[in-house]
Amino acid sequence: MRKIVILCALIISALLLCQISHAKLLVQDDFKGKLKDKYWKGQKESWDIKNEHLEIHRVAGDGNGAVDFGYGIVEFEDFGLRLDFYLFADPQPSKMELLFRANEDLHFYQLIITPADGFGRPNSARWYKREGEDRGTWNEYIDFRDEFPIEIKTKEWYTLALLGDGSTFNLYIKKQGELSFEKVSDLSDVKNLHPKGVLGFHTNQLQHYYIDNLFLYDSPREVSLAVEPQGKLAVTWADLKR
């Protein structure tokens, strides 16, 4: 009986190892130096590397021009995304707008984060989708908007985790330096409008924010939502840049 139990344990361990070995780190970027061509196409009018962060900054435009959208290169389906962000307040509190499963023909999902001192819907996470050139298809999933469980402030660093499994997406947040994430919101798109695409960032007039320490995996299970050891690279980057 004991041999059978040991054999079963070995088989389960082997299966778990196989699953882990198939997971892949697609993007790992601390934004040192210049924008990495293997990861980003970017947008020269609104993207820049500044103070070892990706700076997204626009002072003009209506948010619908080509210069307001910047994209990555690496395509993905299921995914686990982790990144740090920092919202400026000059001259007004900035939103952060992440595009995912995006394509340059303006098909994408969009996550908008508004700080507690922001305009519109303060301290909220809102989900949108767009389906091409027609701006009329750029709509919010109103039933899935949520307030953050913590206060999101400008001029503070936060870490975001976004997990995509099929047509279901889950958002988690923590203040940089905290040990574990808190659940914020989820989105379920029964139509699965955008099954595949890249990362991107949208900006608009007077928006200004930093992105840093970005990790993108091809599986949502690769992003840890609990305590991480201090030796991990993501923590090291964050500590160095505070």
Side-chain angles (χ1 to χ4, degrees), residues 80-83 159-161 174 181 213-215 223-224 228 234:
L81 172 67
R82 174 180 170 144
L83 60 81
T159 302
L160 169 156
K174 68 176 181 177
F181 288 88
N213 302 324
L214 188 149
F215 293 80
V223 176
S224 173
E228 295 196 1

Side-chain angles (χ1 to χ4, degrees), residues 111 125 127 148 160-162 169-173 182-185:
L111 171 65
W127 307 87
F148 282 98
L160 169 156
L162 178 61
F169 311 100
N170 290 280
L171 175 65
Y172 299 82
I173 196 76
E182 293 189 52
K183 177 73 177 288
V184 180
S185 179

Side-chain angles (χ1 to χ4, degrees), residues 163-182:
L163 312 181
D165 188 357
S167 59
T168 300
F169 311 100
N170 290 280
L171 175 65
Y172 299 82
I173 196 76
K174 68 176 181 177
K175 190 172 181 178
Q176 193 178 73
E178 294 295 322
L179 295 179
S180 58
F181 288 88
E182 293 189 52

